[in-house]
Amino acid sequence: MRKIIIVSVFLIIFSVNLFANKVLAILPFESVFKEIAEEQKDAILLAVEDYDNRLEVVFKDSKGSEEGAILALDDYIREYGKPEAVISCASWIATALNPVTAEQGLFHLAIGSASIDRKYPNHTIRMTVDEKTEEELLSYYLLQYNKIAVFYMNNELGENWLNALNKKLGSKIKLSLSYNPEKRDFNNSVKQIKAIDPDVVVLISSSNAAEISKLIKQAGINVQLVGTRPIERPEMLEMAEFTEGLIYTFPSFDTGNQMLEKFESKYQYMPTFFGMEAYDATVSLILGLEENSPNDLFNWYKGKTFIGALGSVTVDRNGDANYPYMFKEIKNGKFVMADFQYALILEQTKQEIMAVFNKMDSDLKIAAKELSTGITGEKADIIIKKLHNFNKFSFDVVTLDTTGTIRNVFPKDYSDILGENVSEREYVKRIIETQKPVISKAFETLEGFVSFDFQYPIFDSNDKYIGSVSILTKPDFFADMIEDKIASFPVELCIMQTDGIIVYDINKEEIGLNLFTSDIYNDFLSLRQLGRKMSIYPQG
């Protein structure tokens, strides 16, 4: 947060723009989502108070519908003229406002919108993470169940979630029922859920989730309840008797951010994701309007990283925000981080690493066969270029002859290693001796980073060994897989080889050290004992 504060203060002091920026916030006040709308309004006003009192925000009611949102925009324009920016809430409303705001030349910022269909690309910044990130996490957790019931809102968000879960979980979903969030009539649906005796019930819900949870438990359906980000509402704790143990996906936010304390102090309740997102969206908009005209805001957002209540938020080239997700649960009447997810993170990380290794192995096998006509020349150049480009964690690809001498390399930027003999390396010795695929242990490369090398033997048409082809992994191989998973978590994750070599650690200076022999660990006997157990037992 420090960076944003410094920049904001500087701009406030030196800005020559003495006129207020007019912003319209269209929120679903008169709807089943009214509590969310009020929280978003509170957060927007807090952001304006914290960063720029000259931002003039007018709130209009969408009534939770596309038509209501468009009418609210028209009413504002008739009353005040065109605003510099429009903030809206809800996926279906963001989809409806995208063409309207684009055609009128208005900057559009969507919050509370996990799904959006842009008729006009390069328009509408969405501060909500695409539901695909959340889908991957939730689907991975749900794979452990064989009889799943899904109870979802009959709107764009609910339908998109159902489609995603069907693709990921297929026949495991035994029942899917939709409901109208405005009618609150759930009894018949609860009877249908009870009839299939599910292992787990997935609630794609928000303001209705507490009442649905109550009806499910009162019907004697004692199963695991699972939800998604919008389910974290105050009423869930008010009915903790029925919601206790519910697990749900949630952004991996910054639990120590000052915004949370300020919000609770001012409004006497803790903000949920909706408030944190609205706050961060408003702060980013204030900064953007200080530096740009509304017409330039979309391009200004692209590629930007903001540090705020949600942690580190990066906006991609399509205008979509990205930040990591985690699991939370209702435990002892509170919203807390779910303890089970740490083992889940470890298992998921292991599987992702093995998937990358298996792909490298498979692609190397294909490349080795294609290189049977020669390890140098134009054809070989094409083969190793393709091998490198098809493996995102490849630092370089080389071919070696039977003496262990490098004969070809891609990218060509590393051509200075051509002709170098690396036969003294343990893994190169192994492939020359065995003529079988090998993977190195972690080693420090000539470029100065710790890496792994995958080698595959090459045989000519007469089945004669003529050399090998290899992939060297990137220096940030493990960091790319791990760091987003544990962002904002009160944990660290490291990877150690069974011989004690640390191949990944958040403290980069420890990468390449040996836990068992490096002096830096002499005073950490318990850590060494843990390392010894890790080197012996494959599971913790």
Side-chain angles (χ1 to χ4, degrees):
M1 206 65 188
R2 185 176 300 163
K3 182 184 292 184
I4 291 180
I5 293 172
I6 292 171
V7 174
S8 299
V9 171
F10 180 88
L11 291 171
I12 290 169
I13 293 172
F14 290 96
S15 173
V16 295
N17 178 14
L18 301 178
F19 301 98
N21 290 306
K22 296 185 295 182
V23 174
L24 167 63
I26 303 175
L27 305 178
F29 292 107
E30 291 184 26
S31 75
V32 69
F33 307 109
K34 61 184 178 181
E35 291 89 356
I36 292 173
E38 291 294 344
E39 181 184 340
Q40 290 170 327
K41 179 181 178 180
D42 288 344
I44 289 169
L45 292 175
L46 179 63
V48 173
E49 180 182 307
D50 283 350
Y51 285 92
D52 188 353
N53 281 307
R54 293 171 302 119
L55 195 71
E56 181 185 294
V57 183
V58 173
F59 295 91
K60 292 280 187 179
D61 187 8
S62 70
K63 295 180 169 54
S65 71
E66 296 95 326
E67 298 82 2
I70 292 170
L71 282 173
L73 176 59
D74 291 342
D75 287 346
Y76 180 94
I77 291 174
R78 280 195 297 271
E79 189 172 354
Y80 302 103
K82 288 186 177 181
E84 274 82 9
V86 176
I87 300 173
S88 73
C89 170
S91 300
W92 53 96
I93 288 174
T95 295
L97 285 176
N98 168 263
V100 177
T101 52
E103 288 164 3
Q104 298 206 38
L106 304 175
F107 176 71
H108 181 208
L109 183 61
I111 57 177
S113 304
S115 173
I116 179 173
D117 181 13
R118 292 180 175 89
K119 181 177 179 180
Y120 284 79
N122 300 317
H123 185 76
T124 303
I125 293 294
R126 181 178 56 161
M127 288 299 287
T128 317
V129 168
D130 191 287
E131 58 195 24
K132 290 183 177 61
T133 301
E134 201 173 356
E135 287 163 10
E136 290 291 336
L137 186 64
L138 186 62
S139 298
Y140 184 80
Y141 169 79
L142 290 172
L143 283 171
Q144 66 186 294
Y145 297 102
N146 293 314
K147 195 185 290 186
I148 301 171
V150 182
F151 196 31
Y152 65 99
M153 296 181 284
N154 65 347
N155 53 33
E156 183 180 353
L157 176 65
E159 289 164 3
N160 285 343
W161 259 107
L162 179 66
N163 291 335
L165 292 175
N166 274 324
K167 286 179 183 177
K168 300 283 185 183
L169 302 167
S171 61
K172 287 177 176 283
I173 297 179
K174 305 302 181 183
L175 178 69
S176 58
L177 297 171
S178 67
Y179 72 88
N180 184 335
E182 298 288 348
K183 291 189 175 179
R184 300 172 181 266
D185 182 13
F186 312 120
N187 287 293
N188 186 53
S189 296
V190 170
K191 289 178 183 177
Q192 293 181 64
I193 292 170
K194 185 175 182 179
I196 71 159
D197 188 26
D199 301 324
V200 61
V201 177
V202 182
L203 302 178
I204 309 301
S205 182
S206 58
S207 299
N208 304 120
E211 180 63 24
I212 293 171
S213 299
K214 176 182 177 181
L215 292 174
I216 286 174
K217 292 298 175 71
Q218 287 180 336
I221 309 172
N222 294 312
V223 297
Q224 179 65 58
L225 298 180
V226 174
T228 60
R229 169 188 49 80
I231 212 164
E232 185 178 291
R233 304 299 308 148
E235 54 267 28
M236 296 297 284
L237 300 186
E238 294 166 10
M239 293 192 184
E241 176 186 355
F242 306 103
T243 61
E244 181 76 10
L246 181 141
I247 290 167
Y248 60 102
T249 45
F250 202 78
S252 182
F253 65 102
D254 179 5
T255 56
N257 193 275
Q258 290 183 348
M259 176 267 178
L260 304 177
E261 184 179 340
K262 287 182 179 180
F263 190 101
E264 185 180 23
S265 174
K266 186 175 179 66
Y267 300 114
Q268 304 305 305
Y269 70 96
M270 281 295 291
T272 67
F273 161 81
F274 292 102
M276 290 185 281
E277 182 194 26
Y279 182 90
D280 282 356
T282 306
V283 171
S284 70
L285 181 59
I286 290 169
L287 294 175
L289 286 170
E290 288 284 358
E291 299 178 15
N292 303 272
S293 70
N295 290 334
D296 297 325
L297 277 175
F298 186 89
N299 288 328
W300 178 83
Y301 268 89
K302 287 195 304 184
K304 279 281 191 304
T305 296
F306 303 96
I307 309 297
L310 290 173
S312 179
V313 178
T314 300
V315 180
D316 67 19
R317 64 182 181 179
N318 297 317
D320 294 328
N322 291 286
Y323 38 91
Y325 264 75
M326 64 177 173
F327 281 106
K328 294 182 73 177
E329 64 180 324
I330 298 176
K331 187 174 182 179
N332 298 324
K334 295 180 180 180
F335 297 122
V336 298
M337 288 185 182
D339 290 339
F340 77 86
Q341 69 192 316
Y342 301 119
L344 196 70
I345 289 171
L346 289 173
E347 181 61 27
Q348 187 178 21
T349 302
K350 185 182 87 171
Q351 290 190 14
E352 289 180 8
I353 290 170
M354 292 310 300
V356 171
F357 283 3
N358 290 336
K359 184 178 188 306
M360 287 183 176
D361 181 71
S362 176
D363 290 352
L364 277 166
K365 183 178 181 180
I366 295 169
K369 188 173 182 180
E370 293 174 342
L371 288 164
S372 62
T373 56
I375 61 175
T376 60
E378 187 175 338
K379 182 180 177 181
D381 288 347
I382 294 170
I383 294 167
I384 65 172
K385 178 181 179 180
K386 181 175 70 173
L387 180 60
H388 173 77
N389 291 341
F390 281 14
N391 286 272
K392 64 179 285 190
F393 294 109
S394 167
F395 178 75
D396 67 28
V397 173
V398 304
T399 58
L400 292 82
D401 64 19
T402 56
T403 69
T405 300
I406 299 173
R407 294 302 183 191
N408 207 348
V409 62
F410 188 86
K412 295 299 181 185
D413 295 347
Y414 309 129
S415 295
D416 57 322
I417 66 173
L418 289 174
E420 183 176 341
N421 187 288
V422 291
S423 58
E424 79 285 351
R425 294 180 181 174
E426 182 274 334
Y427 61 92
V428 178
K429 288 180 183 177
R430 263 194 291 150
I431 197 165
I432 292 173
E433 291 172 1
T434 66
Q435 298 178 14
K436 292 181 180 180
V438 302
I439 176 174
S440 74
K441 290 186 176 182
F443 68 98
E444 186 164 343
T445 66
L446 296 173
E447 292 81 7
F449 60 87
V450 174
S451 183
F452 291 88
D453 197 272
F454 292 75
Q455 294 266 341
Y456 217 93
I458 302 170
F459 300 92
D460 65 15
S461 56
N462 296 317
D463 207 27
K464 180 184 176 183
Y465 175 66
I466 60 172
S468 62
V469 57
S470 78
I471 294 177
L472 184 70
T473 58
K474 283 184 174 180
D476 53 1
F477 171 45
F478 291 112
D480 280 358
M481 289 190 171
I482 292 169
E483 290 180 0
D484 278 352
K485 287 184 175 62
I486 59 173
S488 300
F489 276 51
V491 297
E492 292 184 7
L493 192 154
C494 70
I495 299 177
M496 184 194 78
Q497 235 171 217
T498 54
D499 62 1
I501 297 292
I502 296 173
V503 297
Y504 170 77
D505 193 280
I506 191 67
N507 303 309
K508 292 181 171 52
E509 64 273 13
E510 294 187 46
I511 297 175
L513 299 182
N514 191 305
L515 178 60
F516 305 147
T517 61
S518 296
D519 291 342
I520 190 175
Y521 302 112
N522 287 345
D523 294 330
F524 299 93
L525 296 181
S526 61
L527 183 60
R528 280 185 168 163
Q529 289 171 353
L530 175 62
R532 293 291 183 190
K533 288 183 180 179
M534 289 169 60
S535 68
I536 296 170
Y537 301 111
Q539 292 183 324

